[in-house]
Amino acid sequence: MRSAPAPAKGRFHEVADGVHAYVQPDGGWCLSNAGLLVSDGACLLIDTVATEARARRLREHVLLVAGRPPRFLVNTHFHGDHTFGNFVFPEATVVGHERAREEATAAGTHLTGLWPDVCWGDLEIVVPAVTYHERMDLHVGARQARLLHPGPAHTTGDTVVWLPDQRVLFTGDLVMAGATPFCPMGSVTGSLDALARLRALDAVTVVPGHGPVGGPELFDVNEGYLRRLQRLAADGIAAGLTPLETAREAGPGPYADLLDAERLVPNLHRAYAEELGAAPGDPLDIPALFREMAEHHGGLPVCRA
């Protein structure tokens, strides 16, 4: 299946003094968000983007807004739509969770093989050079950026970036806006636990991994979706149904308006595994889940990068 024509280009929105969210509409497959913190002549970039062309455009926007390249580049997790553009910021020290470094190293450019018709460009994989275990504080001029690992959630190596002075939270793909959550590489229960931790921060502005900027109400949609997954998994197991059969029978339900509803299939596999006793983050056969998702969808979902 060929990719769709490129949608609207990303651009920065100032969401607080010196804090900018780079949003790429419409937030579907491989159209992720990034962030920028600027203070006292220094800046920090949160995530990059999927293709070389989009990454070079992001760099142009960073230089326009900040006047200089970032000193630090934080990756919220290892997926290529948040990390493939790292290499166009050679001046930056890339920071991430210790598991994100391991996962990025193992994955390489695997994502490009799922959608070979996308013009990915001449990618160079750059993994975090500085890692942390539970928490790390970065100082950007007079501003503080707190990196927190919430445990297995979207992946096993997630980072959220909390700006306590501005009460702005960059969640990576732990939170989606207008797009279906995705946790087969992490955990349903872990995602719910992580959302509870994020609520406790009392953020005013929430920058999700995909989709438009919002507030704490974004937590509600994601939590509701995840709790439905748990109910569907418990009922499906009791009825002797496979995750694919449960997905076909249940459909997206009240979340039909979210992009990429086909993610229900791999998400249900994670929910089934946990309902049957698997620990959060235990590995699943992700290529097999993608094939089953494509079967459910009637073909590989369209990559919008």
Side-chain angles (χ1 to χ4, degrees):
M1 178 179 291
R2 296 191 63 82
S3 61
K9 296 177 180 178
R11 66 186 184 91
F12 274 114
H13 308 260
E14 189 166 21
V15 297
D17 182 30
V19 183
H20 308 262
Y22 188 79
V23 177
Q24 296 190 103
D26 57 1
W29 285 106
C30 294
L31 282 179
S32 59
N33 297 335
L36 186 68
L37 171 63
V38 183
S39 176
D40 300 325
C43 64
L44 174 152
L45 181 63
I46 302 164
D47 280 340
T48 56
V49 289
T51 69
E52 180 181 4
R54 288 183 175 276
R56 296 200 181 281
R57 189 177 304 125
L58 173 61
R59 181 181 174 90
E60 292 173 2
H61 282 280
V62 168
L63 295 179
L64 283 172
V65 172
R68 66 191 62 210
R71 179 182 178 189
F72 297 111
L73 195 173
V74 175
N75 285 153
T76 59
H77 60 291
F78 79 95
H79 289 159
D81 56 332
H82 294 257
T83 63
F84 279 171
N86 288 0
F87 76 102
V88 308
F89 297 93
E91 308 90 344
T93 298
V94 181
V95 182
H97 187 261
E98 58 194 16
R99 285 286 299 149
R101 175 184 167 87
E102 296 170 8
E103 290 165 334
T105 301
T109 59
H110 174 75
L111 180 65
T112 65
L114 293 177
W115 288 285
D117 291 332
V118 170
C119 184
W120 297 99
D122 188 13
L123 299 176
E124 175 187 346
I125 299 300
V126 176
V127 302
V130 175
T131 62
Y132 74 101
H133 182 63
E134 291 186 357
R135 167 179 162 171
M136 171 184 283
D137 288 344
L138 295 176
H139 298 275
V140 182
R143 303 288 181 86
Q144 179 189 42
R146 181 164 298 163
L147 280 53
L148 301 170
H149 172 58
H154 175 62
T155 69
T156 65
D158 295 327
T159 291
V160 299
V161 182
W162 170 233
L163 308 180
D165 293 337
Q166 297 78 31
R167 294 175 68 191
V168 177
L169 179 66
F170 290 85
T171 67
D173 286 359
L174 207 158
V175 175
M176 305 282 200
T180 303
F182 190 62
C183 57
M185 300 178 194
S187 171
V188 179
T189 56
S191 293
L192 287 166
D193 290 344
L195 286 170
R197 289 187 62 187
L198 299 191
R199 285 184 189 278
L201 295 173
D202 197 25
V204 171
T205 304
V206 177
V207 183
H210 293 250
V213 176
E217 75 282 352
L218 297 181
F219 302 148
D220 298 337
V221 177
N222 284 259
E223 181 180 305
Y225 178 92
L226 294 165
R227 294 204 181 282
R228 179 175 186 257
L229 274 182
Q230 291 181 319
R231 292 193 299 271
L232 290 177
D235 291 346
I237 291 170
L241 300 177
T242 68
L244 180 57
E245 290 168 340
T246 295
R248 287 172 171 165
E249 183 174 288
Y255 302 97
D257 59 335
L258 299 181
L259 294 171
D260 308 324
E262 63 277 359
R263 293 174 182 168
L264 177 61
V265 175
N267 285 338
L268 276 171
H269 273 276
R270 174 57 64 183
Y272 265 61
E274 293 182 358
E275 181 70 16
L276 293 170
D282 278 357
L284 301 179
D285 186 346
I286 299 301
L289 301 194
F290 264 78
R291 289 192 295 271
E292 197 169 285
M293 179 178 69
E295 177 187 345
H296 176 69
H297 185 61
L300 189 67
V302 172
C303 176
R304 292 165 164 81

